[in-house]
Amino acid sequence: MKDTPINIISATQTGEYRIRLIFDDNTSQEIDFTSFLVRSHHPDIRAYLEPSHFSDFRVEYGELIWGDYELCFPVIDLYRNMIEHYPSTTTAAA
């Protein structure tokens, strides 16, 4: 990967909760947001399970956003197709 910032240049919905992104280095990624939306407990995020609400996204300033940045992801996470992060399951010894 290059040292300059990566930007999204286009986004096309390819499924109910899937979006194909093209980045300015000609890399593409198809992101499935289903798991992220279903796993969320936050009502503002779960609202995007409504298909018409989910499909109301845009690319602005190289980022994929919904609404007034109500839902957005770090571009590097989209570039790597890693939008879900799980906490470590290890615990400290007592």
Side-chain angles (χ1 to χ4, degrees), residues 44-55:
D44 290 346
I45 293 174
R46 291 190 61 82
Y48 288 95
L49 286 167
E50 169 59 43
S52 63
H53 199 46
F54 179 80
S55 66

Side-chain angles (χ1 to χ4, degrees), residues 40-86:
S40 177
H41 296 289
H42 197 287
D44 290 346
I45 293 174
R46 291 190 61 82
Y48 288 95
L49 286 167
E50 169 59 43
S52 63
H53 199 46
F54 179 80
S55 66
D56 193 22
F57 61 86
R58 68 187 180 283
V59 173
E60 189 171 292
Y61 303 113
E63 297 184 38
L64 178 67
I65 62 170
W66 287 261
D68 188 21
Y69 287 84
E70 294 155 3
L71 182 63
C72 60
F73 298 86
V75 174
I76 193 65
D77 289 352
L78 296 169
Y79 187 85
R80 293 177 178 157
N81 199 348
M82 295 178 63
I83 61 171
E84 294 191 80
H85 298 273
Y86 302 101

